[in-house]
Amino acid sequence: MKKKSSYIALCLASCLTSCIYNDVPYPLVVPKIVSIDVPGATKVEISAAEATVTLILDDVTDIQGVQIENVVTDPPTTRISPSMVGTYDLSTPVLFTLTTYQDYIWRVIARQSIERRFSVRGQVGSSVIDIVNHRVVAYVSKSVMLSEIEVQEMVLGPEPITQYSVTKENLRNFLEPVTVELTCHGRTEIWTLYVEQTETSVEFKSIDAWTRVAYLSASGIEGEERWFEYRKKGEEAWIRVPKEEIVVKAGDFSTELDGLEPLTSYECCAVSGTERTEPQEFTTDPATELPNGSFEVYSKAESSKYYSFFDPANALWNSKWWDSGNIGSTSVGETHSICNPDKLDKVDGENSVRMNSDYVVVKFAAGNIFTGEFAEILGTSGGKVNFGRPWTTRPRYLRFALKYQPGLIDNINGYPANAPVNMGDPDRGQVYIALGDWDYRKYGGTPESPVQVNTTIEQTYFNPKAENVIAYGSYIAEGNTNGWIDVEIPLEYVSTSRKPTHIIISCASSMLGDYFTGSSTSTMWLDRMELVY
């Protein structure tokens, strides 16, 4: 009986021991790469939101043998597998696992721009260089003999370190395609060179008409004088573009016609030597103004707790174009409104817009106004905002009056991996503008406001380098302006031909507001905002 009792007690103890489990969750610590040292990298871009490191390599670095020498992470105890320090083939992205209490996959991407050039005497237009298939095609006029081609330039690999099986001086006969071996970094590529005759001596390649400027590009005969002429449709006299305003590259030539009138039809011709194209017609875009750009119209149409910058009773600005975070900040009371009209401090009309950062109960809120619509409050964690409004014109500048009084940062909830801040640092404000052809089905917003940002998910924060961004410009306000100042933001376009579908303008008294970081005493005023074409 004693043995049986002992056996039961042992089984009970064993059962109790085996049934104990740890239900305490591991803390959520998201690791970040803060810096990385790579010889031969002219620029390093770190995106914690996309968990990506992008290396811009110089043209002589071997992309298949990139050496990574040092990596700094936050937190410093982060483990990386495999070790990021070493030599890697980055001709395709390489994945690494960053581990804290959880695993996170990061990508390291390398980009390398090698300037390749090939030209012959008497060439028409620029050569077509096919990097993937190692092919080059150059065009000449019918008067040029393919058996007597003079190669003027042949740079098909990194210029200082590439060796060729034949020099350009020994290339003459192009009645048949010519093959050339290139050796670089111990590897050899075989390129095929073609020279072909073309019937056309001069022709337009593109005509991109904006509001007050048009970009013309044409192909002509290398070595001949080339120029453009234009006139307003219906006029007799042609205006010749001055020589110093024409950019020549091999057989191609281009120019920028400035000072045009909006919504006006013009004609243009391209000339190379004695050859001239038929007149081509284009019409400039309208000079569309920003709706309510001086923030004169406002109402409490949406809520008695805060102002919105439109008025249903107004004949012109009776629908929403601007929005702010007021709907979120005033959910606990109207005293926490972070965007308001200001009749006492202005430079134009009856009032300006004032944005003041604030600490709202449990969360920091940056004063802001933007094109789009506040979409959803996510409890006390943050919110969803749909950025953008329909837009098709292409301005060259955003101009406005600004006044800024920053405080010292007293709230830190996060920051970009490559731009840390500390408590007590001066706060900074920001105004940025972007034009793009975003699809709401891809970016999570609506047809009217296609780009959705969820402030609880860093990966959704606006990325000015995303593929659908056509143009971008930003101004960062640092320090007290001591009154009103005039600001002009130039827009940098990735293409003169792509036409936008939407515009985003975002203004914040604390630029790290998406991270809920900034000073609760920062204030920014804006007035007289306009687009310059």
Side-chain angles (χ1 to χ4, degrees):
M1 189 71 179
K2 185 176 180 180
K3 288 184 179 180
K4 185 176 181 181
S5 299
S6 299
Y7 175 75
I8 293 173
L10 180 63
C11 289
L12 181 60
S14 175
C15 178
L16 289 172
T17 302
S18 64
C19 290
I20 295 174
Y21 64 95
N22 182 7
D23 62 350
V24 179
Y26 288 112
L28 181 63
V29 179
V30 181
K32 299 177 181 179
I33 294 176
V34 177
S35 66
I36 182 170
D37 296 333
V38 179
T42 59
K43 187 177 182 181
V44 177
E45 298 174 351
I46 300 175
S47 172
E50 298 179 354
T52 300
V53 176
T54 302
L55 307 174
I56 309 300
L57 304 178
D58 60 32
D59 60 352
V60 298
T61 296
D62 185 1
I63 196 171
Q64 296 186 28
V66 178
Q67 185 178 355
I68 301 175
E69 294 186 345
N70 186 45
V71 180
V72 177
T73 62
D74 179 23
T77 54
T78 300
R79 301 185 303 278
I80 304 178
S81 177
S83 174
M84 198 174 285
V85 176
T87 301
Y88 289 93
D89 179 355
L90 294 181
S91 55
T92 56
V94 176
L95 302 182
F96 296 89
T97 301
L98 273 64
T99 303
T100 50
Y101 295 93
Q102 299 82 23
D103 292 341
Y104 298 85
I105 304 299
W106 275 63
R107 293 185 304 159
V108 176
I109 301 171
R111 293 177 181 162
Q112 187 176 47
S113 178
I114 298 175
E115 185 181 1
R116 295 176 170 88
R117 307 184 300 275
F118 184 83
S119 64
V120 302
R121 184 171 296 281
Q123 182 169 329
V124 177
S126 294
S127 297
V128 178
I129 300 179
D130 181 352
I131 300 173
V132 175
N133 297 304
H134 300 161
R135 289 162 39 100
V136 178
V137 182
Y139 296 95
V140 295
S141 66
K142 284 286 187 180
S143 61
V144 177
M145 297 177 61
L146 296 181
S147 59
E148 293 295 329
I149 296 296
E150 180 183 339
V151 178
Q152 294 184 311
E153 205 171 20
M154 184 173 66
V155 180
L156 301 176
E159 191 167 7
I161 59 175
T162 301
Q163 296 178 333
Y164 299 85
S165 61
V166 59
T167 65
K168 62 184 180 65
E169 290 78 14
N170 292 326
L171 293 173
R172 302 290 296 183
N173 189 344
F174 281 86
L175 289 170
E176 298 292 337
V178 174
T179 58
V180 177
E181 292 185 359
L182 281 65
T183 302
C184 181
H185 298 302
R187 298 184 295 273
T188 298
E189 297 175 348
I190 298 176
W191 283 67
T192 306
L193 314 179
Y194 300 81
V195 177
E196 299 178 358
Q197 293 174 323
T198 178
E199 297 283 352
T200 305
S201 297
V202 58
E203 63 179 352
F204 273 104
K205 298 180 68 176
S206 63
I207 301 174
D208 301 324
W210 293 13
T211 299
R212 296 187 182 275
V213 63
Y215 298 91
L216 311 183
S217 176
S219 62
I221 299 177
E222 186 272 337
E224 291 188 342
E225 187 177 8
R226 286 154 286 172
W227 69 90
F228 295 97
E229 295 178 350
Y230 71 102
R231 66 185 178 187
K232 191 180 294 185
K233 188 177 181 182
E235 295 184 351
E236 292 187 8
W238 289 92
I239 302 171
R240 179 166 170 168
V241 178
K243 183 177 181 179
E244 59 271 18
E245 296 180 11
I246 296 176
V247 178
V248 175
K249 184 178 181 182
D252 289 344
F253 58 113
S254 60
T255 194
E256 176 183 320
L257 300 182
D258 208 344
L260 305 180
E261 297 178 15
L263 283 176
T264 303
S265 294
Y266 290 86
E267 293 177 315
C268 60
C269 290
V271 183
S272 177
T274 60
E275 298 292 326
R276 177 188 180 92
T277 65
E278 291 294 320
Q280 302 292 312
E281 184 179 332
F282 65 87
T283 301
T284 52
D285 289 335
T288 310
E289 296 181 359
L290 285 177
N292 202 15
S294 285
F295 309 101
E296 295 297 292
V297 177
Y298 56 90
S299 67
K300 288 194 172 180
E302 293 182 294
S303 172
S304 61
K305 294 181 180 180
Y306 60 84
Y307 286 103
S308 300
F309 283 86
F310 75 99
D311 185 353
N314 187 278
L316 193 59
W317 314 128
N318 52 24
S319 60
K320 186 190 293 187
W321 203 79
W322 298 98
D323 204 353
S324 71
N326 276 341
I327 188 173
S329 65
T330 59
S331 61
V332 295
E334 60 184 295
T335 58
H336 292 289
S337 175
I338 56 176
C339 180
N340 293 280
D342 191 335
K343 288 184 173 294
L344 301 179
D345 210 339
K346 59 190 178 181
V347 294
D348 181 61
E350 296 297 323
N351 52 262
S352 64
V353 61
R354 183 185 71 248
M355 297 158 283
N356 52 282
S357 299
D358 194 6
Y359 189 81
V360 183
V361 184
V362 295
K363 209 73 171 179
F364 173 77
N368 62 79
I369 192 168
F370 55 88
T371 60
E373 188 163 18
F374 193 96
E376 182 182 353
I377 300 173
L378 300 175
T380 59
S381 301
K384 293 180 181 180
V385 178
N386 294 334
F387 284 101
R389 288 300 188 197
W391 201 264
T392 57
T393 62
R394 287 163 285 192
R396 291 191 280 179
Y397 298 91
L398 174 67
R399 181 187 292 160
F400 51 90
L402 174 143
K403 179 181 175 181
Y404 189 49
Q405 294 176 350
L408 300 180
I409 292 177
D410 52 14
N411 294 276
I412 295 180
N413 193 65
Y415 44 76
N418 58 344
V421 296
N422 301 298
M423 295 288 281
D425 286 350
D427 202 2
R428 295 171 295 167
Q430 184 180 31
V431 177
Y432 72 78
I433 175 173
L435 296 162
D437 50 11
W438 302 280
D439 185 336
Y440 74 96
R441 288 162 293 196
K442 174 181 177 181
Y443 288 90
T446 66
E448 285 277 316
S449 305
V451 181
Q452 183 171 104
V453 169
N454 183 332
T455 58
T456 67
I457 304 175
E458 188 175 352
Q459 287 82 352
T460 69
Y461 291 1
F462 179 75
N463 179 9
K465 296 180 180 179
E467 63 178 345
N468 290 96
V469 175
I470 297 173
Y472 178 77
S474 170
Y475 175 80
I476 297 176
E478 298 184 90
N480 196 316
T481 59
N482 297 313
W484 287 91
I485 62 172
D486 291 324
V487 177
E488 196 169 76
I489 301 176
L491 276 154
E492 294 186 10
Y493 284 81
V494 299
S495 168
T496 61
S497 61
R498 287 173 60 187
K499 202 160 189 176
T501 58
H502 292 81
I503 186 173
I504 294 175
I505 300 176
S506 178
C507 319
S509 50
S510 298
M511 69 175 293
L512 296 181
D514 284 349
Y515 293 88
F516 302 102
T517 293
S519 170
S520 56
T521 62
S522 292
T523 305
M524 176 188 286
W525 291 260
L526 292 174
D527 206 351
R528 201 180 58 211
M529 184 172 281
E530 60 182 344
L531 296 173
V532 181
Y533 292 95

